[in-house]
Amino acid sequence: MGDDRQSRTAAPDAAGRARSVLTAAWSCAVTAGGAREELVGAHTVTDDGRVLLHVPEDSALLAVALCAPRGEPSAVLECADVAPVPVRNRIRARLWLAGRCSVRDGHLLLRPARVVLRRPSGAVTVDPGEFAAAVPDPLAAAEARLLTHLADCHADAVERLTRLVDTGSLHGAVRVRPLAVDRHGLTLRIERVRADGDVRLPFHAPADDVAELTERMHVLLSRASAASCPRPLQRQRADRDG
């Protein structure tokens, strides 16, 4: 994946991407002192990157923290960034946070001392200070809803956007789906019979909210409407209609 030239254009840095993954993740797994629990809808992130885990009173993790020396055992939090639109290889990234956790008001507070973000292109270690200072993408919380709507209700628009993709990247394509969107651009997944590729369509300017995203998408679609239909998709359309 990521084998197309467009995929290397404007994109969030690793620290911002890590904060976005953590903010948008609905579930996570936490391990501390031999105890491991899967938490669903139970974590929030503070402005400085600490993670507040809302665990039940009978949580084994809470017992570990209460019984550990100084009440600060080491802990590891793991979460995955899953594409909201059904595609092959839906895991877009995985995030690991390691650090010390303490008890606050009956919940656990994890202070990350090591941050690792693994994407299809490889793993990168994010400086904890950069992670703490980074802000999540402003579209992270709305991304799932936006992409699902685009895929389910505007398949024609997705097909039109392929006119902005280099024809070589579309060779052998059997399906194109929206994979990701952030303030800097839209990423399309090009599915082929035996391999996939991701192509990024950058916006002309960053989008800080859904209203600005709508305007950026209209600009992309206008550019696509002015472009010719890629030959590979012309052939696919002819085969389908025939």
Side-chain angles (χ1 to χ4, degrees):
M1 288 182 284
D3 57 350
D4 301 301
R5 183 172 57 186
Q6 289 101 322
S7 66
R8 297 194 295 270
T9 59
D13 60 17
R17 185 75 183 97
R19 285 295 297 268
S20 296
V21 169
L22 182 60
T23 299
W26 179 243
S27 64
C28 64
V30 181
T31 304
R36 179 183 175 86
E37 294 184 6
E38 302 281 342
L39 304 176
V40 178
H43 76 276
T44 56
V45 188
T46 65
D47 290 342
D48 60 0
R50 293 178 297 172
V51 185
L52 188 61
L53 301 168
H54 306 276
V55 296
E57 294 181 359
D58 60 351
S59 167
L61 296 172
L62 186 59
V64 167
L66 290 172
C67 297
R70 295 184 301 156
E72 295 188 354
S74 59
V76 175
L77 180 150
E78 309 166 47
C79 63
D81 175 31
V82 183
V85 175
V87 293
R88 294 186 303 215
N89 303 315
R90 290 183 71 174
I91 303 298
R92 302 182 299 187
R94 292 186 184 276
L95 179 67
W96 286 269
L97 305 179
R100 296 281 180 179
C101 65
S102 57
V103 179
R104 171 187 283 188
D105 298 328
H107 302 298
L108 295 179
L109 184 68
L110 173 65
R111 299 187 303 279
R114 180 175 173 80
V115 181
V116 178
L117 177 69
R118 177 177 291 279
R119 293 177 284 192
S121 58
V124 58
T125 299
V126 179
D127 179 81
E130 293 180 1
F131 177 79
V135 295
D137 189 272
L139 302 176
E143 185 195 24
R145 172 175 56 84
L146 295 169
L147 287 181
T148 300
H149 178 75
L150 178 61
D152 293 346
C153 303
H154 299 286
D156 58 330
V158 175
E159 182 172 335
R160 198 188 325 164
L161 287 170
T162 61
R163 300 181 184 184
L164 301 176
V165 178
D166 182 85
T167 54
S169 299
L170 292 171
H171 181 72
V174 296
R175 188 171 72 159
V176 179
R177 302 279 275 171
L179 178 71
V181 69
D182 55 61
R183 70 191 301 260
H184 297 290
L186 173 72
T187 300
L188 300 178
R189 166 65 54 81
I190 312 292
E191 293 188 349
R192 307 180 181 94
V193 174
R194 296 180 179 175
D196 305 320
D198 297 343
V199 172
R200 189 164 177 82
L201 303 179
F203 298 141
H204 67 275
D208 291 328
D209 53 39
V210 174
E212 290 188 356
L213 172 65
T214 300
E215 188 274 337
R216 307 302 188 261
M217 288 295 298
H218 283 165
V219 171
L220 283 182
L221 288 168
S222 295
R223 288 174 48 205
S225 296
S228 59
C229 182
R231 290 183 179 179
L233 289 190
Q234 286 179 332
R235 288 196 296 269
Q236 289 177 34
R237 186 182 300 163
D239 292 342
R240 180 187 62 202
D241 296 342

